[in-house]
Amino acid sequence: MFQGSTNVPRGGHFARIQAHGGLVNGHTFPDVTDYYQVVPTAALDEVLDLEADRMAGLAVTDDNLRTQRDVVKQEIRLQVDGRPYGGFPWTGLPAVLYRKWENAHNGYGELADLEAATTDDCADFFDRHYAPGNAVLALCGDLSPETALATARRAFSRVPHRPVPPVPDVSEPRAVTELRATCHDRLAPRPALAVGYRMPDAQTDLPAYAANVVLSHLLTSGATARLRAALAPLDVRVDSSPGLFGPLMAKDPDTFVIVAHHPEGAENKVLEVITAQAADIARKGCTEGEAERAVATAVTSLYQNLDSLAYRVRFLARGALLFNRPTIADDLAQSISATTAHELALAAETLATPAGRAVLHLRPRGDAA
């Protein structure tokens, strides 16, 4: 997408944004890829022209495909295969918890599939999925909405309409038993495990989703957090995330993840502690101070991210595209602030039983067992 289009040469997109002292990049998540630029207001026309030009006529050539395929392969070698715990757990855990390919596959793609891709494959994918009807444009900054929308209409009016495919049905039933798998890492200094749980659907039950966000902070934000304090005597480093990539980064189904790096032979004890701590919150609740700290930390974390103009504009677009709710980040913050002890206890119930969870064990490659 940065390799040139009808009126922009290879590298021209980056060069023109950086000439304004701007930022430009793109990221892919399970359900969306976003492209964003941060530039002075005076560069708005130019930025929209660049986006419209590649939407209308991307340069899908053998040379560009070969170059970018090599980039992705090198990224996999460096970021996944070439460092300890690279890609753990997001490249492997979904395949344990989910059954549909759309939810379960490795988002990087397998090397064999990358090698097999042709320019015809890429051109067909671009024509079907990168059409105007499958995109959301978000603008954020010192702008007049009326002027900005008029500018956008002028830029994109030359992009021809293309039909888009229907959104696939990625829903699937929740697992009713515990699911387990093992992967190996030749560079890992010691074992690790990842535990995944299905989260509530943010689109239909945002308060329950918000309770999961608060629960994550209650369990692992800060040295005195429930799970960190309970596992510290076992020499275990533990973190959690409400969503495989964070809050509201994907549509339902999404995954609440707990990742623990532990000494050899401690995996069963770690799982026992996770289950016991969740059960304690589900049965007895938590102290008023614990709940207040977790809520405050969750809201602060969300708004600290939204301080970034790039993050904010991407969140607006993602909210519109995935949830038909551009302001869902603000709605989530309000739901987090209103989270009750009862809602926290209900969220913890999901973590308090092995039924329905996925456990991915990571073993150092030198361990023959």
Side-chain angles (χ1 to χ4, degrees), residues 25-284:
N25 212 334
H27 291 96
T28 295
F29 298 100
D31 298 319
V32 64
T33 294
D34 60 37
Y35 298 89
Y36 61 92
Q37 285 94 177
V38 180
V39 294
T41 304
L44 177 63
D45 287 62
E46 186 171 357
V47 167
L48 294 179
D49 282 338
L50 288 169
E51 288 290 356
D53 198 66
R54 64 179 172 185
M55 184 179 283
L58 189 68
V60 183
T61 67
D62 288 336
D63 188 42
N64 285 344
L65 173 59
R66 183 169 52 253
T67 299
Q68 293 307 303
R69 179 165 48 205
D70 289 343
V71 168
V72 174
K73 287 164 62 177
Q74 183 67 3
E75 185 175 343
I76 293 172
R77 292 189 188 101
L78 293 176
Q79 301 299 324
V80 178
D81 300 332
R83 64 174 184 170
Y85 312 108
F88 181 78
W90 67 269
T91 57
L93 185 62
V96 187
L97 185 58
Y98 301 110
R99 291 294 169 263
K100 280 195 172 183
W101 181 88
E102 293 89 343
N103 302 323
H105 75 285
N106 171 3
Y108 260 126
E110 303 297 335
L111 290 176
D113 294 329
L114 288 169
E115 289 289 354
T118 67
T119 51
D120 287 342
D121 294 330
C122 295
D124 177 66
F125 186 90
F126 174 80
D127 285 339
R128 285 186 293 121
H129 296 286
Y130 280 63
N134 216 26
V136 166
L137 171 67
L139 303 172
C140 187
D142 184 16
L143 302 166
S144 156
E146 294 77 17
T147 301
L149 288 172
T151 303
R153 290 190 182 98
R154 178 200 58 75
F156 286 91
S157 63
R158 71 174 187 270
V159 181
H161 166 78
R162 307 198 296 271
V164 295
V167 177
D169 178 12
V170 298
S171 62
E172 59 178 278
R174 292 173 180 265
V176 296
T177 61
E178 184 181 60
L179 307 165
R180 291 203 178 205
T182 300
C183 63
H184 291 83
D185 186 335
R186 63 184 177 83
L187 299 177
R190 63 178 189 166
L193 64 85
V195 192
Y197 311 83
R198 286 281 295 272
M199 292 183 67
D201 185 350
Q203 191 152 17
T204 59
D205 194 352
L206 192 60
Y209 188 95
N212 275 252
V213 177
V214 177
L215 181 62
S216 174
H217 287 277
L218 178 69
L219 291 173
T220 61
S221 284
T224 60
R226 277 282 186 109
L227 205 48
R228 285 193 173 176
L231 289 172
L234 301 177
D235 188 25
V236 175
R237 190 179 84 241
V238 63
D239 287 291
S240 65
S241 173
L244 202 60
F245 294 91
L248 301 178
M249 292 292 190
K251 294 184 69 172
D252 183 70
D254 201 4
T255 312
F256 187 103
V257 186
I258 297 174
V259 179
H261 296 78
H262 58 81
E264 185 66 45
E267 55 266 26
N268 289 335
K269 182 62 178 176
V270 171
L271 286 170
E272 288 175 9
V273 172
I274 291 172
T275 304
Q277 287 295 318
D280 188 64
I281 297 170
R283 287 196 311 267
K284 303 177 185 177

Side-chain angles (χ1 to χ4, degrees), residues 202 206-207 209-211 213 247-248 299 302-303 315 325 327-339:
L206 192 60
Y209 188 95
V213 177
L248 301 178
V299 172
L302 181 59
Y303 278 129
F315 223 125
R325 199 168 173 178
T327 61
I328 195 170
D330 285 324
D331 298 338
L332 177 62
Q334 293 175 22
S335 291
I336 289 171
S337 297
T339 297

